[in-house]
């Protein structure tokens, strides 16, 4: 992992109070379930992608929102970021183990929804 916050599992004696506004777990949930956080995690589920590839894969996201979303997910330890010292710099993103773990149920949810939807009609 190129950067981010270390995460450890909370034991039975030290549960997070996710309903408290200062809870760090609440921040992570907010970032994951934000409008664009889910799409970033789903987009990175199979491959590491460069910034422009992520932008192209997530229709409707602005560069500013993608950068903000990625910054939050990297800080939370869900996504890693690697900068290649080229001109211009090439930045690649991928899921950490924590990100894969969190993204798995999101991918499952996405797959369940798309299987249940009626086929799109052409026209």
């Amino acid at each position: 992992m190129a950067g981010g916050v270390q995460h450890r599992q909370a034991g039975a004696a030290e549960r997070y109070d996710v309903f408290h506004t200062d809870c760090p777990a609440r921040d992570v949930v907010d970032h994951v379930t934000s409008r664009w956080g889910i799409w970033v995690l789903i987009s990175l589920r199979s491959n590491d992608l460069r910034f422009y590839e992520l932008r192209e894969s997530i229709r409707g996201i602005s560069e500013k929102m993608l950068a903000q979303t990625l910054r939050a997910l990297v800080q939370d330890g869900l996504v890693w970021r690697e900068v290649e010292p080229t001109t211009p710099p090439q930045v690649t993103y991928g899921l950490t183990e924590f990100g894969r773990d969190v993204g798995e149920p999101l991918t499952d949810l996405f797959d369940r929804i798309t299987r249940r939807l009626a086929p799109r009609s052409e026209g």
Side-chain angles (χ1 to χ4, degrees):
M1 178 171 70
V5 178
Q6 273 193 345
H7 293 275
R8 59 183 169 81
Q9 252 178 325
E14 53 177 305
R15 295 269 179 214
Y16 288 106
D17 181 6
V18 295
F19 294 103
H20 192 280
T21 57
D22 292 336
C23 179
R26 184 174 178 160
D27 289 338
V28 174
V29 170
D30 286 345
H31 296 151
V32 168
T33 60
S34 70
R35 178 172 182 188
W36 301 112
I38 291 172
W39 298 114
V40 168
L41 294 176
I42 289 173
S43 293
L44 292 172
R45 68 184 169 190
S46 302
N47 298 310
D48 303 339
L49 297 172
R50 292 205 170 119
F51 184 88
Y52 76 90
E53 293 171 321
L54 264 171
R55 192 184 69 231
E56 292 295 317
S57 72
I58 305 171
R59 309 273 169 143
I61 192 169
S62 68
E63 284 191 25
K64 178 183 176 184
M65 285 311 303
L66 179 56
Q68 287 177 356
T69 302
L70 285 166
R71 195 174 304 117
L73 294 174
V74 167
Q75 184 177 355
D76 292 339
L78 296 161
V79 171
W80 56 260
R81 176 182 190 266
E82 182 179 317
V83 180
E84 296 176 38
T86 59
T87 304
Q90 294 181 348
V91 184
T92 304
Y93 295 90
L95 294 179
T96 64
E97 183 180 337
F98 182 41
R100 282 190 300 277
D101 192 38
V102 169
E104 190 175 321
L106 298 175
T107 297
D108 186 44
L109 176 65
F110 176 77
D111 291 343
R112 286 174 186 247
I113 290 169
T114 55
R115 279 195 311 266
R116 294 287 186 141
L117 289 176
R120 292 184 64 167
S121 60
E122 300 289 326

